[in-house]
Amino acid sequence: MAEFTRREAIEIFGATLATLLINPTVYASQIGDTGVKISFEETDKPGIIFIVGDGMPVSTLTALYRLRQNLGTKMTFYRRFQDPNTVVAYMGTASLSSVVTDSAPASAAWATGTHTANHFLSVLPNGKILKTIGEIAKENDYEVGFVTTTRVTHATPAAWYSHNKDRDDEANIALEALKLKPAVLMGGGLKYFSKNTNPKLPNDTLSDFKKEGYEVYTDKNQLKNIDYNKPILGLFNKSHIDYYIDRLNDKKLENQPSLALMSAIALKKLQMAKKGFVLQIEAGRIDHANHANDAFGALMETAELDQVLDVVDDYISKNPKTLVIVTSDHGTGGFGVYGTGLDYNDSTEAFLKYKQVKASIPYIANKIDNKSPKEVQEIVEYYTGFPISLDEAQLIIESRSPAFTGITGNYLYRAYDSCALGAVLAKCVYPISKDGDQIGKPDLRRGNIYFVSTTHTGEDQVVLAYGYRAQEVINSRRFENTDLYKSMLNFLRISYHKNPTMSSAQAKVYLKELYKSCSYEKLASSLELHVS
Ligand SMILES: [Zn+2]
């Protein structure tokens, strides 16, 4: 093992997908490891817990379910899925400008009941403001909270409090968060709040939050002494919270809380609300892992979302007037467990090989810069358990270069975090006879979770709704994402507020200018901005 890899081996705890998924005490400790025991009071106040797995298609959920099944452990999402009291529906996700949405108009659709264009947060292309569920709830004396593993100014939470034509204008979006005054705002994104962290910021929004009475937390250990009497701002990383598997394995990332811990704190705070609350919880990096074609990264982020459902179960057992909605905003990457071997009979064996992985692809990708192909081979095998060839190591190195334009098709554009690695790890090769038949044992069998792009996809997403009045407020089994706005207002017993709408044809007139130049470079840098 090369010097570099040996040093890394000492630093990493070595928890793999298998050890994490098999051992339930690992989950419990995610909440307990700060020394904080979160327990809930019994109340009869109404609350909405809206849980988003960003870019979490059913294929990702199924893969985690099957992996758990093979390891003899259960998945809370599927227990709820199978419960006859759960409302299960399919939801359309197209936006005003496209059959394939991005997170901004998808989340705005839930928040406002209106379709807007890709890249827009709760404002129409003609500038008309769309009032959000966050604002309406506050006007009606409900408290509001947001918890996410992305930056708190990223599109999914932002669409519930911001009216910005540019989802990337995150410094100003942070100011809009202050305008709403949520009781809880937790996740990453310190660089858009703190001038200390980011001297280029025009304003130290962190001080503004403090002036408004917020208690600010930037380290998991500070959560031992949380003051529930003050509104909470938790910003635990400069950018997004690191991937779950990396947080568990790398000591340097230990000071970032789990999504389950942040969710438990948010619920504890919000149950003090006088009238009730709306809380959005986002497992925001399932999408990022799928963008990076990182199969095991996406599975682990989804496992973290599943822990949140356990926390929510605990909460609703004491607060029965709670409505829980769990869904995704769109698919990403075309995540699929692909058939391998004759009659697909090697599929399970290939699939289970992901158990040995112990880092996300972006984490591994950061380790391989400036390394020789030989070192890359060692690094990849150390973190994933998959041996790769020198040629493949070379391909992975090339995929990190700005000159690399993708390994297949038009849609695998530059691998911002080495999507080539995901493709390499999914490879299985079989000896083929002269007639083209597969013969004998495989020459090479790695994993079999493959992606067909690094972009979002347009298929319907599944919605689970359970808890108080779920059957009453969601009474269709197939609807558009905009319909959940109405369901939430109905649940909160707030009269319907109709937001303005516009047609796709009308929108086109306004969007023409915005989209007139769309270079390959622009596409790649836009993706990079969202996920890194
Ligand atoms: Zn999204």
Side-chain angles (χ1 to χ4, degrees), residues 52-56 101-104 106 154-156 167 282 284 287 291 328-332 456:
V52 184
D54 200 298
M56 178 184 71
T101 191
D102 77 86
S103 303
H154 211 246
T156 304
R167 57 171 283 182
E282 185 200 23
D287 176 58
H291 272 297
S328 174
D329 52 351
H330 50 75
T332 303
H456 289 183

Side-chain angles (χ1 to χ4, degrees), residues 402-464:
F404 185 75
T405 54
I407 54 172
T408 178
N410 291 330
Y411 295 100
L412 264 180
Y413 48 81
R414 192 167 78 212
Y416 84 97
D417 265 333
S418 193
C419 72
L421 181 51
V424 165
L425 298 187
K427 196 174 176 192
C428 296
V429 178
Y430 295 86
I432 303 288
S433 76
K434 278 205 304 264
D435 308 322
D437 290 332
Q438 179 193 310
I439 44 167
K441 291 216 155 84
D443 290 333
L444 175 71
R445 186 197 285 124
R446 297 203 195 109
N448 59 342
I449 302 180
Y450 211 80
F451 296 83
V452 289
S453 91
T454 54
T455 64
H456 289 183
T457 53
E459 77 278 12
D460 282 5
Q461 298 300 308
V462 73
V463 179
L464 307 190

